[in-house]
């Protein structure tokens, strides 16, 4: 009868293969195939060569840092490596909501951006929302203060007692906030002058913003 003894080197069936340790969220990613569903939030790692962060930043919402522009430097180098491949490039209107583990206060985020040589950022793409508003006439002021910035237009603030303040009180879960970008007026998208003209020509407004 043949010897049926198991080999001394045989691997027991009940011993699982060792698992690889989980990767750090901020490990440098390896570009791969194009993603069908680009991420809305993603990590970014920047190594600063100087005190400059090479970005124009707006912190008016008090909670995040909104990217208003990108200058040559660590950000553009990151974008070259991780933009087209895995959609993790930093773009205008993106919001940085975490810097080196810090969240919740724009001043703290900005301080960490300035003082740390290595930046581990969490970045969020802008989300779109719409609102409907009806004035008594086209002459009734909206009370919305806007700031033109190249091909974009942003909310700078509100006049006291204006229609937008009433809207924000009634829609406190999705208010119009400082730093939000106006992208559409009554179905029209375009340059700031086109949006402003459309706002002045109708008492009934459907506005689309990015936050």
């Amino acid at each position: 009868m043949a010897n049926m003894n198991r080999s001394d080197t045989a691997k027991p069936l009940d011993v699982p293969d060792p698992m690889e340790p989980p990767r750090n969220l901020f490990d440098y990613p390896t570009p791969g195939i194009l993603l069908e569903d680009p991420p809305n939030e993603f990590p970014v790692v920047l190594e600063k060569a100087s005190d400059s962060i090479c970005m124009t930043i707006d912190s008016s919402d008090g909670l995040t840092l909104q990217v208003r522009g990108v200058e040559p430097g660590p950000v553009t180098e990151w974008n070259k490596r991780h933009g087209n491949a895995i959609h993790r490039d930093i773009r205008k209107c993106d919001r940085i909501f975490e810097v080196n583990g810090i969240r919740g206060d724009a001043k703290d985020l900005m301080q960490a951006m300035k003082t740390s040589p290595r930046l581990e950022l969490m970045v969020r793409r802008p989300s779109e929302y719409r609102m409907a508003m009806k004035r008594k006439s086209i002459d009734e002021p909206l009370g919305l203060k806007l700031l033109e910035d190249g091909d974009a237009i942003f909310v700078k603030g509100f006049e006291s007692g204006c229609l937008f303040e009433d809207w924000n009180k009634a829609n406190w879960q999705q208010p119009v906030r400082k730093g939000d970008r106006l992208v559409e007026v009554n179905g029209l998208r375009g340059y700031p002058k086109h949006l402003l003209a459309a706002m002045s020509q109708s008492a009934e407004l459907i506005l689309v913003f990015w936050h």
Side-chain angles (χ1 to χ4, degrees):
M1 185 174 180
N3 186 355
M4 299 298 293
N5 291 336
R6 294 175 59 188
S7 170
D8 293 338
T9 59
K11 183 179 179 181
L13 296 178
D14 57 347
V15 178
D17 291 329
M19 295 181 63
E20 293 184 4
R23 293 187 61 189
N24 188 311
L25 181 64
F26 294 99
D27 285 347
Y28 283 102
T30 301
I33 60 174
L34 290 174
L35 299 178
E36 293 183 2
D37 297 312
N40 291 323
E41 297 182 359
F42 53 93
V44 169
V45 181
L46 301 177
E47 301 286 351
K48 291 166 52 181
S50 65
D51 292 337
S52 174
I53 57 177
C54 298
M55 283 186 285
T56 304
I57 295 293
D58 177 80
S59 59
S60 60
D61 81 336
L63 300 173
T64 63
L65 304 179
Q66 185 188 49
V67 179
R68 291 289 180 86
V70 175
E71 303 168 2
V75 178
T76 53
E77 291 302 314
W78 170 273
N79 287 350
K80 289 177 184 177
R81 295 194 301 269
H82 306 108
N84 292 334
I86 56 177
H87 302 286
R88 279 167 57 170
D89 53 320
I90 297 179
R91 308 172 188 171
K92 188 173 183 177
C93 294
D94 284 350
R95 289 188 179 273
I96 299 168
F97 64 92
E98 179 181 308
V99 180
N100 293 352
I102 299 172
R103 296 191 182 201
D105 188 285
K107 292 182 180 179
D108 293 339
L109 297 180
M110 183 63 77
Q111 182 66 19
M113 290 275 282
K114 291 179 177 179
T115 58
S116 302
R118 175 184 168 92
L119 301 178
E120 296 181 349
L121 313 177
M122 286 300 298
V123 181
R124 179 184 298 129
R125 297 288 189 221
S127 58
E128 187 172 286
Y129 67 95
R130 66 182 56 236
M131 62 172 294
M133 179 175 291
K134 185 175 181 179
R135 295 181 284 183
K136 296 177 181 178
S137 70
I138 60 174
D139 297 323
E140 182 181 8
L142 291 170
L144 181 65
K145 300 178 182 179
L146 296 171
L147 172 68
E148 295 185 41
D149 182 5
D151 61 352
I153 186 167
F154 296 92
V155 176
K156 186 178 179 181
F158 312 94
E159 295 179 3
S160 178
C162 70
L163 294 175
F164 277 87
E165 282 196 342
D166 294 339
W167 165 271
N168 284 348
K169 289 177 182 178
N171 299 273
W172 57 271
Q173 291 180 314
Q174 183 62 81
V176 180
R177 287 163 282 193
K178 291 181 180 180
D180 287 1
R181 178 180 175 178
L182 177 64
V183 296
E184 181 181 307
V185 178
N186 291 348
L188 173 71
R189 299 199 178 206
Y191 289 102
K193 64 178 182 180
H194 301 140
L195 300 178
L196 293 174
M199 290 179 69
S200 67
Q201 294 169 2
S202 178
E204 296 186 20
L205 299 171
I206 298 177
L207 308 177
V208 178
F209 292 89
W210 281 359
H211 175 74

